[in-house]
mmCIF file of all heavy atoms in Angstrom:
data_model
loop_
_atom_site.group_PDB
_atom_site.id
_atom_site.type_symbol
_atom_site.label_atom_id
_atom_site.label_comp_id
_atom_site.label_asym_id
_atom_site.label_seq_id
_atom_site.Cartn_x
_atom_site.Cartn_y
_atom_site.Cartn_z
ATOM 1 N N GLN G 23 87.408 61.414 123.741
ATOM 2 C CA GLN G 23 87.487 60.265 122.831
ATOM 3 C C GLN G 23 86.340 60.297 121.820
ATOM 4 O O GLN G 23 86.543 60.037 120.636
ATOM 5 C CB GLN G 23 87.450 58.963 123.645
ATOM 6 C CG GLN G 23 87.443 57.677 122.819
ATOM 7 C CD GLN G 23 88.787 57.351 122.186
ATOM 8 O OE1 GLN G 23 89.762 58.070 122.357
ATOM 9 N NE2 GLN G 23 88.828 56.262 121.436
ATOM 10 N N GLY G 30 87.758 64.224 110.644
ATOM 11 C CA GLY G 30 87.606 64.077 109.193
ATOM 12 C C GLY G 30 86.175 63.914 108.738
ATOM 13 O O GLY G 30 85.921 63.769 107.547
ATOM 14 N N PRO G 33 80.765 68.406 109.785
ATOM 15 C CA PRO G 33 79.976 69.042 108.723
ATOM 16 C C PRO G 33 80.658 70.234 108.050
ATOM 17 O O PRO G 33 80.210 70.674 107.000
ATOM 18 C CB PRO G 33 78.703 69.513 109.437
ATOM 19 C CG PRO G 33 78.892 69.288 110.868
ATOM 20 C CD PRO G 33 80.120 68.515 111.094
ATOM 21 N N LEU G 35 84.734 72.476 107.805
ATOM 22 C CA LEU G 35 86.142 72.524 108.189
ATOM 23 C C LEU G 35 86.322 73.238 109.531
ATOM 24 O O LEU G 35 87.117 72.823 110.372
ATOM 25 C CB LEU G 35 86.886 73.276 107.082
ATOM 26 C CG LEU G 35 88.349 73.006 106.902
ATOM 27 C CD1 LEU G 35 88.674 71.540 107.058
ATOM 28 C CD2 LEU G 35 88.768 73.513 105.538
ATOM 29 N N GLU G 36 85.558 74.292 109.720
ATOM 30 C CA GLU G 36 85.638 75.045 110.979
ATOM 31 C C GLU G 36 85.251 74.149 112.152
ATOM 32 O O GLU G 36 85.764 74.313 113.257
ATOM 33 C CB GLU G 36 84.713 76.271 110.938
ATOM 34 C CG GLU G 36 85.175 77.389 110.005
ATOM 35 C CD GLU G 36 84.861 77.132 108.531
ATOM 36 O OE1 GLU G 36 84.327 76.040 108.196
ATOM 37 O OE2 GLU G 36 85.145 78.032 107.715
ATOM 38 N N GLU G 38 85.695 70.820 112.212
ATOM 39 C CA GLU G 38 86.820 69.902 112.434
ATOM 40 C C GLU G 38 87.764 70.518 113.461
ATOM 41 O O GLU G 38 88.199 69.871 114.420
ATOM 42 C CB GLU G 38 87.621 69.684 111.136
ATOM 43 C CG GLU G 38 86.888 68.993 110.009
ATOM 44 C CD GLU G 38 86.730 67.490 110.227
ATOM 45 O OE1 GLU G 38 87.270 66.950 111.205
ATOM 46 O OE2 GLU G 38 86.040 66.860 109.399
ATOM 47 N N LEU G 39 88.053 71.778 113.204
ATOM 48 C CA LEU G 39 88.992 72.517 114.047
ATOM 49 C C LEU G 39 88.444 72.638 115.472
ATOM 50 O O LEU G 39 89.143 72.379 116.448
ATOM 51 C CB LEU G 39 89.165 73.906 113.415
ATOM 52 C CG LEU G 39 90.401 74.698 113.705
ATOM 53 C CD1 LEU G 39 91.619 74.022 113.125
ATOM 54 C CD2 LEU G 39 90.264 76.095 113.072
ATOM 55 N N MET G 42 88.230 69.210 117.446
ATOM 56 C CA MET G 42 89.529 68.721 117.892
ATOM 57 C C MET G 42 90.074 69.629 118.986
ATOM 58 O O MET G 42 90.719 69.173 119.930
ATOM 59 C CB MET G 42 90.479 68.640 116.695
ATOM 60 C CG MET G 42 91.474 67.499 116.741
ATOM 61 S SD MET G 42 90.856 65.893 117.320
ATOM 62 C CE MET G 42 89.989 65.314 115.885
ATOM 63 N N ASN G 43 89.771 70.917 118.880
ATOM 64 C CA ASN G 43 90.205 71.886 119.876
ATOM 65 C C ASN G 43 89.574 71.576 121.238
ATOM 66 O O ASN G 43 90.255 71.497 122.266
ATOM 67 C CB ASN G 43 89.787 73.281 119.383
ATOM 68 C CG ASN G 43 90.406 74.391 120.186
ATOM 69 O OD1 ASN G 43 90.549 74.269 121.392
ATOM 70 N ND2 ASN G 43 90.768 75.477 119.522
ATOM 71 N N GLY G 45 88.205 68.741 122.163
ATOM 72 C CA GLY G 45 88.685 67.422 122.580
ATOM 73 C C GLY G 45 90.065 67.502 123.210
ATOM 74 O O GLY G 45 90.340 66.861 124.231
ATOM 75 N N LEU G 46 90.914 68.298 122.603
ATOM 76 C CA LEU G 46 92.280 68.481 123.102
ATOM 77 C C LEU G 46 92.249 69.079 124.509
ATOM 78 O O LEU G 46 92.958 68.610 125.410
ATOM 79 C CB LEU G 46 93.009 69.413 122.131
ATOM 80 C CG LEU G 46 94.486 69.679 122.317
ATOM 81 C CD1 LEU G 46 95.289 68.401 122.188
ATOM 82 C CD2 LEU G 46 94.965 70.685 121.268
ATOM 83 N N ASP G 70 98.486 57.314 132.685
ATOM 84 C CA ASP G 70 98.277 56.459 131.509
ATOM 85 C C ASP G 70 97.730 55.088 131.919
ATOM 86 O O ASP G 70 96.870 54.530 131.239
ATOM 87 C CB ASP G 70 99.590 56.259 130.741
ATOM 88 C CG ASP G 70 99.870 57.437 129.813
ATOM 89 O OD1 ASP G 70 98.913 58.093 129.394
ATOM 90 O OD2 ASP G 70 101.055 57.686 129.527
ATOM 91 N N GLU G 146 71.358 76.667 119.769
ATOM 92 C CA GLU G 146 70.459 77.704 119.231
ATOM 93 C C GLU G 146 70.366 77.628 117.712
ATOM 94 O O GLU G 146 69.279 77.728 117.145
ATOM 95 C CB GLU G 146 70.945 79.089 119.677
ATOM 96 C CG GLU G 146 70.761 79.303 121.168
ATOM 97 C CD GLU G 146 71.446 80.561 121.696
ATOM 98 O OE1 GLU G 146 72.309 81.118 120.981
ATOM 99 O OE2 GLU G 146 71.126 80.965 122.821
ATOM 100 N N ASP G 150 66.828 76.546 116.451
ATOM 101 C CA ASP G 150 66.124 77.622 115.757
ATOM 102 C C ASP G 150 66.776 77.872 114.399
ATOM 103 O O ASP G 150 67.111 79.002 114.049
ATOM 104 C CB ASP G 150 66.173 78.895 116.614
ATOM 105 C CG ASP G 150 65.291 79.995 116.040
ATOM 106 O OD1 ASP G 150 64.342 79.682 115.294
ATOM 107 O OD2 ASP G 150 65.557 81.184 116.328
ATOM 108 N N GLY G 151 66.945 76.815 113.647
ATOM 109 C CA GLY G 151 67.562 76.920 112.319
ATOM 110 C C GLY G 151 66.536 76.639 111.247
ATOM 111 O O GLY G 151 65.668 77.456 110.967
ATOM 112 N N ARG G 158 65.538 67.379 114.173
ATOM 113 C CA ARG G 158 66.636 66.523 114.650
ATOM 114 C C ARG G 158 66.977 66.811 116.115
ATOM 115 O O ARG G 158 67.314 65.891 116.863
ATOM 116 C CB ARG G 158 67.871 66.712 113.776
ATOM 117 C CG ARG G 158 67.765 66.015 112.423
ATOM 118 C CD ARG G 158 69.047 66.276 111.648
ATOM 119 N NE ARG G 158 69.015 65.770 110.291
ATOM 120 C CZ ARG G 158 69.682 64.669 109.898
ATOM 121 N NH1 ARG G 158 70.391 63.973 110.755
ATOM 122 N NH2 ARG G 158 69.639 64.293 108.635
ATOM 123 N N GLU G 240 88.652 49.954 121.873
ATOM 124 C CA GLU G 240 89.358 50.692 120.819
ATOM 125 C C GLU G 240 90.459 51.565 121.435
ATOM 126 O O GLU G 240 91.600 51.540 120.998
ATOM 127 C CB GLU G 240 88.352 51.559 120.050
ATOM 128 C CG GLU G 240 88.988 52.340 118.914
ATOM 129 C CD GLU G 240 87.998 53.228 118.172
ATOM 130 O OE1 GLU G 240 86.823 53.311 118.600
ATOM 131 O OE2 GLU G 240 88.408 53.854 117.187
ATOM 132 N N MET G 241 90.096 52.300 122.456
ATOM 133 C CA MET G 241 91.029 53.273 123.035
ATOM 134 C C MET G 241 92.228 52.598 123.698
ATOM 135 O O MET G 241 93.341 53.104 123.653
ATOM 136 C CB MET G 241 90.294 54.138 124.059
ATOM 137 C CG MET G 241 91.096 55.309 124.558
ATOM 138 S SD MET G 241 90.141 56.376 125.661
ATOM 139 C CE MET G 241 90.384 55.552 127.221
ATOM 140 N N LEU G 244 96.277 49.325 122.148
ATOM 141 C CA LEU G 244 97.742 49.230 122.068
ATOM 142 C C LEU G 244 98.407 48.945 123.425
ATOM 143 O O LEU G 244 99.202 48.002 123.527
ATOM 144 C CB LEU G 244 98.326 50.498 121.449
ATOM 145 C CG LEU G 244 98.394 50.541 119.928
ATOM 146 C CD1 LEU G 244 98.794 51.946 119.466
ATOM 147 C CD2 LEU G 244 99.390 49.530 119.384
ATOM 148 N N PRO G 245 98.093 49.744 124.458
ATOM 149 C CA PRO G 245 98.735 49.451 125.758
ATOM 150 C C PRO G 245 98.375 48.065 126.296
ATOM 151 O O PRO G 245 99.175 47.448 126.997
ATOM 152 C CB PRO G 245 98.187 50.546 126.678
ATOM 153 C CG PRO G 245 97.720 51.621 125.777
ATOM 154 C CD PRO G 245 97.278 50.957 124.520
ATOM 155 N N ALA G 251 105.504 47.818 126.432
ATOM 156 C CA ALA G 251 106.008 48.804 125.478
ATOM 157 C C ALA G 251 106.179 50.188 126.111
ATOM 158 O O ALA G 251 105.546 50.519 127.098
ATOM 159 C CB ALA G 251 105.049 48.901 124.292
ATOM 160 N N THR G 252 107.073 50.977 125.500
ATOM 161 C CA THR G 252 107.229 52.392 125.873
ATOM 162 C C THR G 252 106.878 53.218 124.645
ATOM 163 O O THR G 252 107.452 53.031 123.579
ATOM 164 C CB THR G 252 108.699 52.690 126.261
ATOM 165 O OG1 THR G 252 109.078 51.769 127.269
ATOM 166 C CG2 THR G 252 108.845 54.115 126.770
ATOM 167 N N TRP G 253 105.886 54.083 124.797
ATOM 168 C CA TRP G 253 105.427 54.844 123.638
ATOM 169 C C TRP G 253 105.938 56.264 123.684
ATOM 170 O O TRP G 253 105.523 57.135 123.055
ATOM 171 C CB TRP G 253 103.894 54.833 123.575
ATOM 172 C CG TRP G 253 103.356 53.439 123.581
ATOM 173 C CD1 TRP G 253 102.809 52.786 124.648
ATOM 174 C CD2 TRP G 253 103.299 52.512 122.467
ATOM 175 N NE1 TRP G 253 102.427 51.523 124.285
ATOM 176 C CE2 TRP G 253 102.708 51.328 122.958
ATOM 177 C CE3 TRP G 253 103.685 52.594 121.122
ATOM 178 C CZ2 TRP G 253 102.499 50.217 122.142
ATOM 179 C CZ3 TRP G 253 103.474 51.494 120.318
ATOM 180 C CH2 TRP G 253 102.898 50.316 120.825
ATOM 181 N N ILE E 62 93.336 68.475 104.212
ATOM 182 C CA ILE E 62 92.063 67.957 104.730
ATOM 183 C C ILE E 62 92.001 66.429 104.619
ATOM 184 O O ILE E 62 91.687 65.744 105.588
ATOM 185 C CB ILE E 62 90.874 68.604 103.975
ATOM 186 C CG1 ILE E 62 90.937 70.136 104.118
ATOM 187 C CG2 ILE E 62 89.547 68.060 104.481
ATOM 188 C CD1 ILE E 62 91.174 70.650 105.502
ATOM 189 N N MET E 65 94.036 64.541 107.127
ATOM 190 C CA MET E 65 93.562 64.314 108.495
ATOM 191 C C MET E 65 93.094 62.862 108.673
ATOM 192 O O MET E 65 93.061 62.347 109.795
ATOM 193 C CB MET E 65 92.388 65.253 108.815
ATOM 194 C CG MET E 65 92.795 66.715 108.949
ATOM 195 S SD MET E 65 91.386 67.863 108.851
ATOM 196 C CE MET E 65 90.318 67.189 110.071
ATOM 197 N N THR E 73 91.987 57.740 117.885
ATOM 198 C CA THR E 73 91.188 57.067 118.917
ATOM 199 C C THR E 73 91.963 55.921 119.572
ATOM 200 O O THR E 73 91.523 55.383 120.569
ATOM 201 C CB THR E 73 89.884 56.488 118.318
ATOM 202 O OG1 THR E 73 90.228 55.631 117.234
ATOM 203 C CG2 THR E 73 88.958 57.589 117.830
ATOM 204 N N ARG E 74 93.095 55.550 118.971
ATOM 205 C CA ARG E 74 93.879 54.415 119.481
ATOM 206 C C ARG E 74 95.284 54.808 119.936
ATOM 207 O O ARG E 74 96.123 53.932 120.141
ATOM 208 C CB ARG E 74 93.966 53.322 118.401
ATOM 209 C CG ARG E 74 92.650 52.632 118.136
ATOM 210 C CD ARG E 74 92.780 51.594 117.039
ATOM 211 N NE ARG E 74 92.942 52.221 115.720
ATOM 212 C CZ ARG E 74 93.371 51.575 114.644
ATOM 213 N NH1 ARG E 74 93.683 50.305 114.722
ATOM 214 N NH2 ARG E 74 93.467 52.211 113.490
ATOM 215 N N PRO E 76 98.453 55.455 122.036
ATOM 216 C CA PRO E 76 98.733 54.582 123.180
ATOM 217 C C PRO E 76 98.989 55.276 124.518
ATOM 218 O O PRO E 76 99.171 54.590 125.522
ATOM 219 C CB PRO E 76 99.990 53.836 122.732
ATOM 220 C CG PRO E 76 100.660 54.774 121.788
ATOM 221 C CD PRO E 76 99.582 55.536 121.102
ATOM 222 N N SER E 77 99.043 56.597 124.552
ATOM 223 C CA SER E 77 99.212 57.276 125.842
ATOM 224 C C SER E 77 98.504 58.621 125.754
ATOM 225 O O SER E 77 98.189 59.097 124.658
ATOM 226 C CB SER E 77 100.693 57.486 126.172
ATOM 227 O OG SER E 77 101.234 58.479 125.318
ATOM 228 N N LEU E 78 98.284 59.217 126.900
ATOM 229 C CA LEU E 78 97.607 60.525 126.895
ATOM 230 C C LEU E 78 98.450 61.557 126.152
ATOM 231 O O LEU E 78 97.928 62.358 125.378
ATOM 232 C CB LEU E 78 97.323 60.966 128.333
ATOM 233 C CG LEU E 78 96.283 60.095 129.066
ATOM 234 C CD1 LEU E 78 96.296 60.389 130.559
ATOM 235 C CD2 LEU E 78 94.879 60.319 128.486
ATOM 236 N N ARG E 80 100.623 61.086 123.698
ATOM 237 C CA ARG E 80 100.576 60.867 122.241
ATOM 238 C C ARG E 80 99.219 61.241 121.673
ATOM 239 O O ARG E 80 99.107 61.733 120.555
ATOM 240 C CB ARG E 80 100.886 59.402 121.918
ATOM 241 C CG ARG E 80 102.288 58.945 122.258
ATOM 242 C CD ARG E 80 103.343 59.759 121.543
ATOM 243 N NE ARG E 80 104.693 59.295 121.870
ATOM 244 C CZ ARG E 80 105.778 60.063 121.808
ATOM 245 N NH1 ARG E 80 105.686 61.337 121.452
ATOM 246 N NH2 ARG E 80 106.965 59.574 122.105
ATOM 247 N N LYS E 81 98.186 60.999 122.437
ATOM 248 C CA LYS E 81 96.841 61.356 121.981
ATOM 249 C C LYS E 81 96.738 62.885 121.840
ATOM 250 O O LYS E 81 96.258 63.397 120.831
ATOM 251 C CB LYS E 81 95.813 60.844 122.992
ATOM 252 C CG LYS E 81 94.397 60.727 122.460
ATOM 253 C CD LYS E 81 93.505 60.171 123.568
ATOM 254 C CE LYS E 81 92.204 59.672 123.043
ATOM 255 N NZ LYS E 81 92.316 58.445 122.260
ATOM 256 N N LEU E 82 97.228 63.586 122.848
ATOM 257 C CA LEU E 82 97.179 65.053 122.816
ATOM 258 C C LEU E 82 97.987 65.605 121.646
ATOM 259 O O LEU E 82 97.544 66.514 120.944
ATOM 260 C CB LEU E 82 97.711 65.617 124.145
ATOM 261 C CG LEU E 82 96.772 65.438 125.339
ATOM 262 C CD1 LEU E 82 97.519 65.657 126.654
ATOM 263 C CD2 LEU E 82 95.578 66.386 125.243
ATOM 264 N N MET E 85 96.062 64.973 118.405
ATOM 265 C CA MET E 85 94.896 65.856 118.294
ATOM 266 C C MET E 85 95.326 67.278 117.929
ATOM 267 O O MET E 85 94.701 67.937 117.094
ATOM 268 C CB MET E 85 94.115 65.881 119.617
ATOM 269 C CG MET E 85 93.446 64.559 119.935
ATOM 270 S SD MET E 85 92.755 64.515 121.600
ATOM 271 C CE MET E 85 91.145 65.232 121.295
ATOM 272 N N GLN E 89 94.354 69.221 114.480
ATOM 273 C CA GLN E 89 93.748 70.561 114.552
ATOM 274 C C GLN E 89 94.544 71.556 113.700
ATOM 275 O O GLN E 89 93.967 72.367 112.966
ATOM 276 C CB GLN E 89 93.728 71.000 116.005
ATOM 277 C CG GLN E 89 92.900 72.246 116.240
ATOM 278 C CD GLN E 89 93.126 72.823 117.633
ATOM 279 O OE1 GLN E 89 93.515 72.109 118.545
ATOM 280 N NE2 GLN E 89 92.883 74.093 117.780
ATOM 281 N N GLY E 93 93.445 73.766 110.336
ATOM 282 C CA GLY E 93 93.776 75.197 110.242
ATOM 283 C C GLY E 93 94.546 75.518 108.970
ATOM 284 O O GLY E 93 94.270 76.524 108.302
ATOM 285 N N ARG E 109 85.469 78.303 97.359
ATOM 286 C CA ARG E 109 85.881 77.156 98.159
ATOM 287 C C ARG E 109 84.986 75.936 97.893
ATOM 288 O O ARG E 109 85.472 74.832 97.650
ATOM 289 C CB ARG E 109 85.838 77.524 99.642
ATOM 290 C CG ARG E 109 86.610 76.578 100.511
ATOM 291 C CD ARG E 109 86.137 76.555 101.944
ATOM 292 N NE ARG E 109 86.410 77.793 102.674
ATOM 293 C CZ ARG E 109 86.380 77.846 104.023
ATOM 294 N NH1 ARG E 109 86.114 76.778 104.726
ATOM 295 N NH2 ARG E 109 86.598 78.981 104.633
ATOM 296 N N HIS E 191 113.706 52.849 123.306
ATOM 297 C CA HIS E 191 113.177 52.328 124.579
ATOM 298 C C HIS E 191 112.129 51.244 124.376
ATOM 299 O O HIS E 191 111.578 50.727 125.338
ATOM 300 C CB HIS E 191 112.569 53.468 125.411
ATOM 301 C CG HIS E 191 113.483 54.635 125.569
ATOM 302 N ND1 HIS E 191 114.605 54.572 126.380
ATOM 303 C CD2 HIS E 191 113.483 55.875 125.016
ATOM 304 C CE1 HIS E 191 115.240 55.739 126.318
ATOM 305 N NE2 HIS E 191 114.588 56.543 125.501
ATOM 306 N N GLN E 196 107.924 46.668 118.886
ATOM 307 C CA GLN E 196 107.806 48.084 118.517
ATOM 308 C C GLN E 196 108.827 48.476 117.450
ATOM 309 O O GLN E 196 108.523 49.233 116.532
ATOM 310 C CB GLN E 196 107.988 48.955 119.756
ATOM 311 C CG GLN E 196 106.799 48.920 120.700
ATOM 312 C CD GLN E 196 107.023 49.843 121.878
ATOM 313 O OE1 GLN E 196 107.822 49.527 122.758
ATOM 314 N NE2 GLN E 196 106.362 50.968 121.894
ATOM 315 N N MET E 199 107.648 47.425 114.232
ATOM 316 C CA MET E 199 106.617 48.342 113.718
ATOM 317 C C MET E 199 107.255 49.534 113.004
ATOM 318 O O MET E 199 106.802 49.949 111.945
ATOM 319 C CB MET E 199 105.771 48.917 114.881
ATOM 320 C CG MET E 199 104.742 47.985 115.460
ATOM 321 S SD MET E 199 103.836 48.903 116.753
ATOM 322 C CE MET E 199 103.280 47.530 117.745
ATOM 323 N N ARG E 302 85.276 61.937 102.820
ATOM 324 C CA ARG E 302 85.124 63.404 102.737
ATOM 325 C C ARG E 302 83.769 63.774 102.144
ATOM 326 O O ARG E 302 83.102 64.694 102.598
ATOM 327 C CB ARG E 302 86.257 64.020 101.912
ATOM 328 C CG ARG E 302 87.610 63.993 102.582
ATOM 329 C CD ARG E 302 87.591 64.635 103.961
ATOM 330 N NE ARG E 302 87.046 65.976 103.961
ATOM 331 C CZ ARG E 302 86.376 66.541 104.974
ATOM 332 N NH1 ARG E 302 86.166 65.890 106.080
ATOM 333 N NH2 ARG E 302 85.921 67.764 104.876
ATOM 334 N N GLY E 309 76.605 66.585 106.511
ATOM 335 C CA GLY E 309 76.599 67.838 107.273
ATOM 336 C C GLY E 309 75.803 68.946 106.613
ATOM 337 O O GLY E 309 75.720 70.058 107.160
ATOM 338 N N TRP E 311 72.649 69.562 106.299
ATOM 339 C CA TRP E 311 71.559 70.125 107.114
ATOM 340 C C TRP E 311 72.094 71.002 108.239
ATOM 341 O O TRP E 311 71.436 71.970 108.634
ATOM 342 C CB TRP E 311 70.660 69.015 107.665
ATOM 343 C CG TRP E 311 71.303 68.152 108.714
ATOM 344 C CD1 TRP E 311 72.040 67.024 108.522
ATOM 345 C CD2 TRP E 311 71.278 68.366 110.139
ATOM 346 N NE1 TRP E 311 72.482 66.518 109.727
ATOM 347 C CE2 TRP E 311 72.015 67.326 110.738
ATOM 348 C CE3 TRP E 311 70.703 69.338 110.965
ATOM 349 C CZ2 TRP E 311 72.206 67.225 112.118
ATOM 350 C CZ3 TRP E 311 70.885 69.229 112.340
ATOM 351 C CH2 TRP E 311 71.627 68.188 112.903
ATOM 352 N N ARG E 313 74.911 72.866 108.073
ATOM 353 C CA ARG E 313 75.322 74.142 107.473
ATOM 354 C C ARG E 313 74.102 74.966 107.087
ATOM 355 O O ARG E 313 74.074 76.190 107.273
ATOM 356 C CB ARG E 313 76.231 73.884 106.257
ATOM 357 C CG ARG E 313 77.523 73.146 106.610
ATOM 358 C CD ARG E 313 78.515 73.121 105.453
ATOM 359 N NE ARG E 313 77.977 72.500 104.251
ATOM 360 C CZ ARG E 313 77.925 71.184 104.028
ATOM 361 N NH1 ARG E 313 78.396 70.344 104.942
ATOM 362 N NH2 ARG E 313 77.424 70.703 102.917
ATOM 363 N N ALA E 315 71.235 74.892 108.563
ATOM 364 C CA ALA E 315 70.669 75.418 109.807
ATOM 365 C C ALA E 315 71.425 76.660 110.265
ATOM 366 O O ALA E 315 70.820 77.639 110.709
ATOM 367 C CB ALA E 315 70.711 74.344 110.893
ATOM 368 N N HIS E 319 69.689 80.209 110.687
ATOM 369 C CA HIS E 319 69.694 80.862 111.999
ATOM 370 C C HIS E 319 70.312 82.257 111.913
ATOM 371 O O HIS E 319 69.802 83.216 112.506
ATOM 372 C CB HIS E 319 70.453 80.006 113.013
ATOM 373 C CG HIS E 319 70.463 80.586 114.395
ATOM 374 N ND1 HIS E 319 69.366 80.546 115.212
ATOM 375 C CD2 HIS E 319 71.420 81.263 115.088
ATOM 376 C CE1 HIS E 319 69.646 81.162 116.356
ATOM 377 N NE2 HIS E 319 70.888 81.597 116.306
ATOM 378 N N LYS E 322 67.816 84.588 110.482
ATOM 379 C CA LYS E 322 66.779 84.949 111.462
ATOM 380 C C LYS E 322 67.297 86.007 112.434
ATOM 381 O O LYS E 322 66.602 86.956 112.756
ATOM 382 C CB LYS E 322 66.351 83.711 112.271
ATOM 383 C CG LYS E 322 65.423 82.786 111.523
ATOM 384 C CD LYS E 322 65.000 81.627 112.426
ATOM 385 C CE LYS E 322 64.325 80.546 111.614
ATOM 386 N NZ LYS E 322 63.914 79.400 112.431
#
Side-chain angles (χ1 to χ4, degrees):
Chain G
Q23 177 74 1
L35 205 40
E36 289 79 357
E38 295 285 355
L39 203 66
M42 214 41 77
N43 191 323
L46 186 62
D70 278 334
E146 291 170 344
D150 188 23
R158 284 180 186 254
E240 181 181 5
M241 189 175 86
L244 274 171
T252 306
W253 305 102
Chain E
I62 302 313
M65 290 164 53
T73 55
R74 291 178 288 164
S77 71
L78 293 167
R80 295 301 181 205
K81 199 178 196 71
L82 287 164
M85 292 171 86
Q89 191 192 336
R109 197 204 292 197
H191 309 288
Q196 287 182 287
M199 283 182 205
R302 289 306 307 149
W311 69 272
R313 299 190 302 278
H319 182 75
K322 283 183 192 179

